[in-house]
Amino acid sequence: MTLLLFGCTAQQIQSISDAIGLEEELTAEQVASGLKEALVKGVTTGTQKVGKVDGYFKNPQIKIPFPPDIQKVENTLRDVGLGNEVDRFVKTLNRGAEEAAKEAKPVFVSAIKQMTIDDAWDILKGTDKEAATNYLMRTTSDELRDKFSPIVKRALGQTNATKYYSEIITRYNKIPMVEDVNPDLESYATEKAMEGLFFMIASEEKKIRANPSARTSDLLKKVFKEQD
């Protein structure tokens, strides 16, 4: 993470130390390394948690449901006895997101390396407990979406989500008196997969900030020391 902290004056570095409640002055190298370590740790843990079997599917906070804008499809299919097909599709949809999440870490790490001193300052001294996550959202969403789209498409195919979805929509459209639907599954899955990733990264960031036991090195403890 290139923080440009190495051009800071001694007064600026002392200000950072004061802002985060440290008794001893931190060097530019310590601040840079501490932030780098904290962000990479959060990204690594967050992506590992979602990029495994049931990482999405069995986490109610990020589980991807049947597309809400066509909720009538799910309701109608369940009413006509096709609930198992709907459940099978939802499971494979989440499996696709879990596969895609494995590819996210390099995108996040690249963004961390490009962080500036202003970004670092805002993250350290601000009151926003998700400042680092919000930074990643601002700087990675477009690239992540571009990278995720083909990955999600491939993952949905590998897990048969696309096949099951096509079968579901085809069956629905054959029901008398219903209006045909054909929503973009890949776009929906991509956005929901990204939302889940950022949610988990934010959770890890909060732990590092609030819980001393989550700071697994002396440097993390120094940089993110809680104020008295």
Side-chain angles (χ1 to χ4, degrees):
M1 175 172 55
T2 306
L3 286 174
L4 305 182
L5 279 166
F6 304 101
C8 289
T9 65
Q11 183 178 4
Q12 288 173 315
I13 296 172
Q14 182 61 56
S15 295
I16 294 175
S17 298
D18 293 342
I20 57 178
L22 297 180
E23 296 177 359
E24 298 181 1
E25 177 181 320
L26 282 175
T27 66
E29 290 87 352
Q30 285 177 312
V31 174
S33 296
L35 282 173
K36 187 186 302 184
E37 182 181 339
L39 291 177
V40 172
K41 179 179 184 295
V43 162
T44 300
T45 303
T47 54
Q48 285 177 344
K49 285 183 176 179
V50 298
K52 62 182 181 181
V53 174
D54 291 331
Y56 279 84
F57 186 63
K58 289 192 175 180
N59 184 338
Q61 294 176 304
I62 63 172
K63 180 180 178 180
I64 304 176
F66 200 91
D69 57 338
I70 54 169
Q71 191 66 49
K72 61 182 180 180
V73 175
E74 177 180 3
N75 295 337
T76 301
L77 291 174
R78 291 191 185 280
D79 288 342
V80 298
L82 297 176
N84 288 338
E85 282 79 356
V86 173
D87 292 337
R88 180 180 63 177
F89 161 68
V90 170
K91 186 173 184 177
T92 55
L93 173 61
N94 282 269
R95 289 287 183 264
E98 291 157 8
E99 286 298 315
K102 297 175 182 178
E103 308 292 332
K105 181 181 173 181
V107 178
F108 289 135
V109 172
S110 176
I112 291 169
K113 291 179 179 180
Q114 298 176 45
M115 185 175 287
T116 68
I117 179 59
D118 288 337
D119 297 321
W121 174 259
D122 288 341
I123 289 171
L124 281 173
K125 80 178 185 66
T127 58
D128 182 2
K129 300 305 181 183
E130 298 180 14
T133 303
N134 289 332
Y135 167 80
L136 291 175
M137 288 179 69
R138 292 195 307 272
T139 57
T140 68
S141 288
D142 289 343
E143 180 182 0
L144 194 62
R145 189 176 292 105
D146 288 343
K147 287 183 177 294
F148 251 37
S149 291
I151 295 169
V152 167
K153 181 178 181 179
R154 183 174 67 249
L156 292 178
Q158 291 173 341
T159 60
N160 286 324
T162 304
K163 174 179 177 289
Y164 296 150
Y165 187 66
S166 177
E167 291 175 356
I168 284 174
I169 296 302
T170 298
R171 287 198 182 195
Y172 176 81
N173 288 339
K174 288 182 178 179
I175 296 175
M177 307 299 291
V178 302
E179 182 180 350
D180 286 2
V181 296
N182 188 27
D184 185 345
L185 175 62
E186 292 168 18
S187 177
Y188 171 72
T190 298
E191 293 302 319
K192 297 304 290 185
M194 289 173 56
E195 286 179 19
L197 268 173
F198 286 124
F199 179 88
M200 294 304 295
I201 291 171
S203 297
E204 294 304 314
E205 179 182 358
K206 289 176 183 176
K207 288 180 185 178
I208 292 172
R209 289 179 179 275
N211 183 3
S213 66
R215 304 166 197 162
T216 53
S217 74
D218 290 338
L219 188 54
L220 274 180
K221 292 172 184 177
K222 271 189 174 184
V223 173
F224 289 94
K225 181 181 179 183
E226 293 177 303
Q227 296 187 32
D228 295 333

